[in-house]
Amino acid sequence: MDAPLIPDEPRPKRNGGRPRNPEARPDRATVRFTKIEYLAVKRRAQSARLTVAEYCRQAVLTGQVLPTLDPAALPALHELRALGNTLNQLMKKAHGDGVRSIAVKADALLDELNKLLAV
């Protein structure tokens, strides 16, 4: 009978669980506010549609706060995204069938894009 083979090197231990986030922020700085100061910072963060932590981080690192996208602009962004998809489909068709096959659709798309950007 043959003896079972014993590996020369031990198997590496597997690290289970979720992988670490490479953008994690392990370091912390604490700032103390009075109640009125905190409410002012919180109000500004809400108007910029940011968390208080993100608002403070942007203010400290860059000296200015860039607000997130206004909800009123979301329909226009959706429309632009749809126009981009249509343009991509037209270009794909133009490569296959020739440029003349999409001329009318391309003109209509450009008119729609100009109307959207004029607003």
Side-chain angles (χ1 to χ4, degrees):
M1 288 197 191
D2 293 328
L5 296 175
I6 300 174
D8 294 340
E9 297 179 18
R11 293 166 64 199
K13 184 177 178 182
R14 295 184 187 203
N15 295 330
R18 185 175 184 158
R20 291 182 183 250
N21 182 0
E23 295 179 13
R25 296 181 170 106
D27 297 325
R28 176 184 316 221
T30 304
V31 179
R32 294 188 178 268
F33 295 110
T34 64
K35 188 68 172 173
I36 293 173
E37 289 171 339
Y38 181 75
L39 290 175
V41 170
K42 186 176 178 181
R43 187 185 77 241
R44 290 178 185 173
Q46 286 174 342
S47 68
R49 299 180 44 81
L50 297 170
T51 62
V52 173
E54 185 61 30
Y55 179 85
C56 291
R57 187 178 302 113
Q58 284 186 19
V60 168
L61 292 177
T62 64
Q64 61 182 351
V65 177
L66 301 174
T68 58
L69 191 60
D70 184 28
L74 290 178
L77 182 64
H78 179 71
E79 186 76 21
L80 276 174
R81 200 173 284 141
L83 289 174
N85 288 338
T86 305
L87 181 62
N88 190 27
Q89 291 169 0
L90 286 173
M91 295 314 303
K92 205 171 195 180
K93 185 172 174 73
H95 283 291
D97 298 343
V99 176
R100 291 179 191 222
S101 66
I102 63 154
V104 174
K105 289 182 183 178
D107 284 338
L109 183 63
L110 283 174
D111 289 340
E112 193 174 342
L113 186 59
N114 284 332
K115 287 178 191 173
L116 185 64
L117 292 176
V119 171

